[in-house]
Every structure is written in structure tokens, then in C-alpha cells.
Amino acid sequence: MYVIFSSYVRIKRVNINRIALEQLILRQSHSNHSMKILSKFILFFLFPFLQVHAQVNTFFTNTTKMRTMTERWELDTTAIRGTFLITPYKPIYILPFRYTDMPNETPHSGNNDPAYQAPPGTDFNNIESKFQLSFKTKIVQGMFGNRVDLWAAYTQVSHWQLYNNELSRPFREINYEPEIILNVPLNFKIFGFRARMAGVAFNHQSNGKSLPFSRSWNRIIFHAGFDRKDWSVYFRPWLRLSDTKDDNPDISKYIGRGDLNVIYTRNGSVYSLIASHNLDVGSKIRGNLTFSWSYPIKGNLKAYLQASHGYGETLIDYNYRQTTVGLGISLAEWL
């Protein structure tokens, strides 16, 4: 009740401040037509942001309470918040220091077209910065007999050669990942866990670069979520969609054809292990392991450790194996 009341007060304050500012601007611009037009632009762009901020504040409280899968995905009537509210999707973190044992200085593609032949390598540093932004919003609630929700999500991961003064500190790689997700609540027991949700998503991922460094793929991703006490599990197999102009035809052989995310929470800490696998039988086994640990500092601020080994930490590295370790802070977790 306190959170609801606080959010109501914040929104009322925004509305009151909006009226006051509108009256002030209109008084000042009474004899000036151009100022009236400017005032409308100010009110249009500024206050929707403030209202969204008030809505987001209902999610990002200053407590360290872990959220369940049911709360994150609004899987029952007690957790429903409605549509077009911005909430975290994947973790949001900043790693000022991320170390790799072997930078990928000469990326290459499985596409043998001469247009994908990269020039001589770039001298990248072993240490760079990495950060991830990720959020989602429900755009339709209660489809198909009030059982299915439609979500839109976006994740962006950036690798920044912050300490590479010789190259003028460039962004080495940025991956953009929008998704459309259909999600269905479930509630039954299986192997000691409780099935909470299942669904399917259309996923696009690309790095926005031109040839020869362009990398992208589209997938249909199926998902299922399970939990038990302090444990949560997400299972995601996927099908890659064919592309007439394929930047990386062999990407599934390296990054994999599915992943499993196991999450454990204890005393405010969140531990996560994501394993992807190419599921190739009788050929070379490839994939990736990523471990993360967040430790509470204050409110939503947490210390964050991330380590990975394998292929495909980024799209440009999809067929390149490396080991990385990063240290920084996080503002949102899986739970």
C-alpha cells in the first residue's frame, strides 16, 4: 500500500507541476506567438518523460527485495501492473574493467564472399569496458481467452575500448537485440520445480556495422520458466531463420541452438550460470558458459562480477573462443 500511495503522490505532483509550469509559460508567452509554440513542445516532451519516470519508480524501489519470476512477468492477478510500463528484462550492469585473454583483432565470417574478407588486424587492448541495458514492456494483456500477454523487449550490449588511447577509445562492438514475446502463465509441478511460464519470441540481433564486419541473425526462440524456493531456471531452444544475404551462415555451430539459465538467490546476492550448446552430435562441441554474481551494496546498487568462456560473447566474436572476466556494478538483475 505504501508503494502504491507513494506512486500516486508522485504522479499527482507531476500533474500539479505540469499545470503550474503551463500557466507560467503561457503568461510569459501571451504576446509572443513563437514562444507559445515553443511552450507546447516543452510540455509535450518533458512531462511524458516525468510521468514515465513516476511509473518506473514503482518498480525500481530503494529496497533489496528479490522479485520472483511471477512478479517479473506478471503471471497472476496479484502481480499484474498493466501495459506500457517499462520494467527490467535482462540484467542492467556496467563493467568498467573487462579482461579478455585474447582480443579478436582479425574477425572473420563463415561467409566466403570476398566482401567479408577483413583487412589486417587492429591492435585492441586486453582490457576494455562493457555495459548492458535491457528492458521490456507489456503491450497487450490477456490475448486468446485472457491467457496470453504480448511483450516488447530490447537489449543492448556495448564493448568500449575505453583505455585504448592510440585508437581514440572506440566502441569495439555494440549488439542490438529487439524482441517480440508471447508469454503464457503456467502452474504445475515437474521434477520438483513448478512450471511458471512458457512462450515464443521473434528475436533479431545485429551489430549495425557495414561489410566486412556486419553480423546479424533472426531467431524464433521458445522459452519455459521454472522455479523452486531460491532457484529459477529459464530454458530457451531456438530456430534460426534463413537469410538470403547471410553475414554468418555457421553461427549456430558456435553460439549454439539453445541455452539454459540457472539462477540462485541468497541473502540479496544473485548467482547466474548461462550455458549455450550447439547440440551437434558427432562433431565438434561448441558453446559458451557465462557466470555472474551480484552482491548488494545499497538499494538497487550491487557489486557485479561476470566471467565467460567459449564462443560468441559478441556477434563479431561468434566464431572466436576466449575467456573473459569483468568487474563493476549492476542496477537490475534477473530477479
Side-chain angles (χ1 to χ4, degrees):
M1 285 298 296
Y2 173 76
V3 173
I4 296 174
F5 177 75
S6 300
S7 302
Y8 173 78
V9 171
R10 291 191 190 101
I11 294 172
K12 291 297 288 183
R13 286 176 179 170
V14 167
N15 290 335
I16 293 171
N17 290 339
R18 175 175 182 164
I19 294 170
L21 181 58
E22 182 178 17
Q23 291 174 347
L24 176 62
I25 293 175
L26 291 177
R27 282 200 300 269
Q28 295 295 324
S29 60
H30 182 70
S31 61
N32 190 323
H33 180 68
S34 62
M35 281 297 293
K36 288 182 181 179
I37 296 175
L38 178 60
S39 69
K40 292 180 180 179
F41 274 96
I42 293 174
L43 293 170
F44 179 78
F45 285 105
L46 177 61
F47 280 94
F49 167 77
L50 292 177
Q51 289 174 343
V52 169
H53 176 69
Q55 291 172 334
V56 172
N57 273 344
T58 65
F59 191 92
F60 289 100
T61 63
N62 59 358
T63 67
T64 57
K65 177 181 178 294
M66 295 292 101
R67 293 191 176 269
T68 64
M69 189 181 301
T70 296
E71 291 174 313
R72 269 293 175 94
W73 288 94
E74 304 178 22
L75 300 177
D76 62 26
T77 55
T78 64
I80 291 176
R81 292 185 174 85
T83 55
F84 298 104
L85 296 177
I86 297 174
T87 59
Y89 177 31
K90 300 177 183 180
I92 298 174
Y93 60 80
I94 302 172
L95 305 179
F97 304 99
R98 173 240 179 227
Y99 168 83
T100 176
D101 65 331
M102 193 179 303
N104 187 6
E105 297 182 342
T106 310
H108 67 279
S109 169
N111 190 323
N112 294 322
D113 190 303
Y116 287 91
Q117 301 303 312
T122 304
D123 188 16
F124 289 127
N125 285 355
N126 288 69
I127 297 177
E128 63 183 11
S129 296
K130 176 183 179 181
F131 57 89
Q132 175 171 288
L133 303 173
S134 186
F135 57 86
K136 68 184 187 304
T137 185
K138 188 194 301 180
I139 56 179
V140 181
Q141 180 175 299
M143 301 169 59
F144 307 116
N146 205 32
R147 288 289 298 168
V148 181
D149 294 333
L150 180 65
W151 297 77
Y154 178 75
T155 302
Q156 180 173 314
V157 186
S158 301
H159 290 253
W160 184 13
Q161 286 276 297
L162 177 60
Y163 311 105
N164 196 330
N165 189 46
E166 294 183 1
L167 296 179
S168 298
R169 311 179 195 276
F171 277 87
R172 180 178 65 84
E173 176 81 346
I174 302 176
N175 290 168
Y176 311 93
E177 189 175 2
E179 296 180 70
I180 295 292
I181 306 167
L182 283 173
N183 197 51
V184 182
L186 301 175
N187 190 5
F188 62 87
K189 287 188 176 181
I190 179 171
F191 302 123
F193 282 77
R194 184 163 292 277
R196 293 296 185 185
M197 67 183 207
V200 62
F202 171 77
N203 176 290
H204 168 80
Q205 190 179 23
S206 61
N207 65 358
K209 293 186 177 182
S210 58
L211 296 178
F213 301 113
S214 175
R215 303 288 186 269
S216 65
W217 62 334
N218 296 315
R219 291 174 288 172
I220 299 296
I221 301 179
F222 304 93
H223 66 263
F226 311 86
D227 64 14
R228 177 185 178 183
K229 296 182 179 180
D230 297 328
W231 294 88
S232 298
V233 177
Y234 292 96
F235 174 57
R236 301 194 314 160
W238 56 71
L239 298 174
R240 195 206 168 177
L241 301 179
S242 60
D243 197 340
T244 53
K245 185 179 180 181
D246 202 333
D247 293 329
N248 26 253
D250 54 349
I251 189 170
S252 296
K253 294 181 180 180
Y254 292 91
I255 291 183
R257 295 178 172 86
D259 62 24
L260 182 71
N261 185 3
V262 180
I263 305 162
Y264 176 68
T265 60
R266 184 175 179 85
N267 298 328
S269 291
V270 180
Y271 306 86
S272 170
L273 180 65
I274 304 175
S276 66
H277 199 284
N278 60 7
L279 305 179
D280 282 343
V281 179
S283 61
K284 191 171 184 180
I285 295 175
R286 300 184 179 98
N288 183 277
L289 279 176
T290 300
F291 169 79
S292 65
W293 170 37
S294 65
Y295 182 83
I297 298 176
K298 182 179 180 180
N300 289 307
L301 181 64
K302 296 182 179 183
Y304 193 75
L305 172 69
Q306 184 185 81
S308 72
H309 174 75
Y311 295 89
E313 188 194 15
T314 71
L315 279 179
I316 199 69
D317 303 319
Y318 83 88
N319 54 1
Y320 187 81
R321 189 176 65 181
Q322 59 185 318
T323 300
T324 72
V325 179
L327 185 63
I329 59 172
S330 71
L331 299 175
E333 287 298 322
W334 292 105
L335 298 172

